Amino acid sequence: MKLSGALVFALVAVQAAVLLSAVPSAQASELQVGYYSKKCKGLENVVKWHVVKALKANRRTGAALVRLLFHDCFVRGCDGSVLLDKSYDNPNPEKNAPVNIGLAAFDLLEEIKAAVEDRCPGVVSCSDILIFAARDAASALSNGHVHFDVPAGRLDGFVSKAEEAQAELPDSTDDVEKLIANFARKNFTVEELVILSGAHSIGQGHCSSFTGRLSEPADQITPAYRELLKYKCSSGSNPPVVNNVRDEDYNTVGRFMPGFVSRLRKVPDFLDNSYYHNNLAKIVTFHSDWTLLTQKEALGHVHEYADNGTLWDEDFSDSLVKLSKLPMPAGSKGEIRKKCSISNHRLY
Ligand code: HEM
Ligand SMILES: *[C@@H]1O[C@H](CO)[C@@H](O)[C@H](O)[C@H]1NC(C)=O
Ligand SMILES: *[C@@H]1O[C@H](CO)[C@@H](O)[C@H](O)[C@H]1NC(C)=O
């Protein structure tokens, strides 16, 4: 096929416009609470409406949103890089990284983005929508105990590489010193590592994420819980298992940990400090959870948050805000994506 001169000219013009619309990313200090109050009235209510609706249909989606905030912000800052699909010029995006196994809620974010584009076209970034949605999920799953204002004004990035996600994000087999070093690279303290790990009171993990746990000794994992996990993992190939044993099904718990059935919850995925109690009792899924007990300062904080749930609610809220401010690498450019899974220039 031969393109007419006019068409070629039009295409070049569109490309130039796209390049011109890529602007330098804001610094974290420029993020503002209420950033969209004039630019897109009612935005935060729109996001919240969709999140609440989605959680009513499937409460598990809330955990997916909270994890997405972490996985987006830890890699190139909070720039929506985790949301990009693979494309011709980027065959291996963050989504492909093994460490990103089980990420979900992408469809929900795309649904919210579409609703927001209808209301205020070209104004609200996907990276901001992700943070608002994760905030609303954390609030809903904690009955409002986890709550915070979201500073906004982020841009969506152009770069998304699986190798980068794999290198930056912690692994479930890491020991405490490695986790501490990993979080320190993003200016997070040992205390904040412990606070943020408390997010594992909700959601699920695939058996491949805790294979090693199934043969750890009794001082690292309660044998009855180890047997429960083995049993769960024996059904199907690499099934997901709930992170918090209190969300487990009645029959399984009755069989392996009968003393625990009274603690089972009717409503799963309640975001609270139960992770610290589970951890001290050695009934947590990941090695990276258990290993927090092996370092003095971290262990002290595990006790601190087991003892005071209100303190955890508050400190977890603050730590999520801090995560949400992680900036893109210096000099990065950004845009307001039209669709969260695709950079704008790929839409033409
Ligand atoms: C400290 C290092 C951390 C490690 C090694 C880690 C590792 C993991 C792994 C392996 C899974 C299960 C993935 C799967 O197999 O499907 C998971 C799930 C999850 N993680 Fe973490 N994580 C860490 C910190 C965090 C932080 C900081 C947050 C958020 C503040 C978080 C929130 C979650 C949530 C909510 C889930 C459940 C997701 C769902 O059910 O869809 N994690 N994590
Ligand atoms: C951590 O803090 C240092 C010193 O203030 C700063 O230069 C660096 O950019 C920060 N790193 C991140 C990932 O925020
Ligand atoms: C728990 O933490 C809250 C919030 O910081 C604080 O007000 C309260 O005094 C603490 N409770 C105990 C028993 O230490």
Side-chain angles (χ1 to χ4, degrees):
M1 191 183 80
K2 225 182 138 195
L3 291 176
S4 80
L7 184 51
V8 169
F9 179 78
L11 285 173
V12 169
V14 165
Q15 284 237 300
V18 165
L19 291 176
L20 285 174
S21 69
V23 291
S25 74
Q27 291 308 302
S29 56
E30 295 165 17
L31 299 175
Q32 280 168 22
V33 170
Y35 180 82
Y36 292 110
S37 56
K38 293 214 178 69
K39 291 178 161 57
C40 184
K41 256 198 170 63
L43 164 72
E44 295 194 34
N45 289 330
V46 173
V47 175
K48 186 172 173 186
W49 185 84
H50 283 269
V51 171
V52 169
K53 182 175 69 120
L55 264 62
K56 263 187 196 140
N58 182 5
R59 205 173 146 88
R60 298 251 178 257
T61 307
L65 286 170
V66 173
R67 184 167 178 239
L68 269 184
L69 184 159
F70 173 48
H71 283 227
D72 188 33
C73 295
F74 239 52
V75 186
R76 308 192 70 81
C78 314
D79 66 340
S81 53
V82 74
L83 305 177
L84 287 174
D85 278 343
K86 77 170 181 193
S87 61
Y88 179 74
D89 46 32
N90 186 25
N92 204 19
E94 289 176 25
K95 278 182 183 177
N96 284 1
V99 75
N100 276 333
I101 181 176
L103 286 185
F106 297 112
D107 292 351
L108 171 60
L109 289 170
E110 209 65 275
E111 172 196 312
I112 300 174
K113 174 64 175 174
V116 168
E117 282 299 295
D118 269 356
R119 200 182 174 92
C120 331
V123 172
V124 186
S125 64
C126 291
S127 40
D128 279 340
I129 290 175
L130 167 50
I131 309 295
F132 285 127
R135 182 271 307 269
D136 295 335
S139 172
L141 296 182
S142 65
N143 279 352
H145 291 292
V146 172
H147 61 93
F148 52 92
D149 293 327
V150 174
R154 296 169 190 77
L155 289 173
D156 301 321
F158 297 106
V159 181
S160 175
K161 294 183 187 311
E163 316 85 73
E164 248 177 340
Q166 199 60 30
E168 303 282 315
L169 286 162
D171 192 90
S172 60
T173 60
D174 288 348
D175 277 318
V176 69
E177 294 303 337
K178 195 163 176 197
L179 293 173
I180 290 173
N182 178 301
F183 274 65
R185 279 207 297 276
K186 310 283 174 189
N187 294 341
F188 280 74
T189 63
V190 175
E191 180 170 25
E192 288 164 333
L193 162 65
V194 173
I195 294 166
L196 286 166
S197 296
H200 292 163
S201 73
I202 55 173
Q204 59 184 28
H206 289 81
C207 289
S208 58
S209 296
F210 54 85
T211 315
R213 292 284 279 162
L214 303 179
S215 51
E216 279 180 0
D219 61 333
Q220 299 187 19
I221 182 168
T222 293
Y225 182 59
R226 188 181 60 207
E227 295 313 307
L228 182 152
L229 291 179
K230 272 190 196 162
Y231 170 74
K232 282 274 153 181
C233 292
S234 67
S235 72
S237 76
N238 200 19
V241 177
V242 293
N243 283 332
N244 197 325
V245 67
R246 79 180 171 192
D247 295 342
E248 198 46 90
D249 70 88
Y250 185 92
N251 288 333
T252 306
V253 175
R255 180 167 156 195
F256 292 94
M257 304 172 75
F260 210 84
V261 289
S262 63
R263 284 165 64 187
L264 295 181
R265 288 276 195 125
K266 282 207 184 69
V267 179
D269 293 305
F270 193 79
L271 182 61
D272 64 9
N273 71 332
S274 57
Y275 165 84
Y276 303 96
H277 293 278
N278 290 346
N279 205 342
L280 290 167
K282 302 192 174 80
I283 47 178
V284 282
T285 34
F286 309 124
H287 180 83
S288 55
D289 295 322
W290 169 78
T291 189
L292 298 179
L293 307 182
T294 65
Q295 199 264 5
K296 195 159 175 253
E297 187 188 351
L299 175 61
H301 292 305
V302 172
H303 280 290
E304 181 185 9
Y305 291 107
D307 289 346
N308 192 338
T310 310
L311 183 66
W312 182 76
D313 292 336
E314 290 173 3
D315 290 355
F316 184 66
S317 304
D318 292 345
S319 295
L320 283 187
V321 173
K322 183 170 168 182
L323 266 185
S324 84
K325 288 182 181 168
L326 280 170
M328 289 166 78
S332 301
K333 295 251 164 55
E335 65 177 351
I336 307 286
R337 269 179 224 151
K338 295 190 192 322
K339 275 191 74 183
C340 293
S341 56
I342 314 174
S343 291
N344 290 347
H345 64 274
R346 299 242 17 119
L347 286 170
Y348 298 103

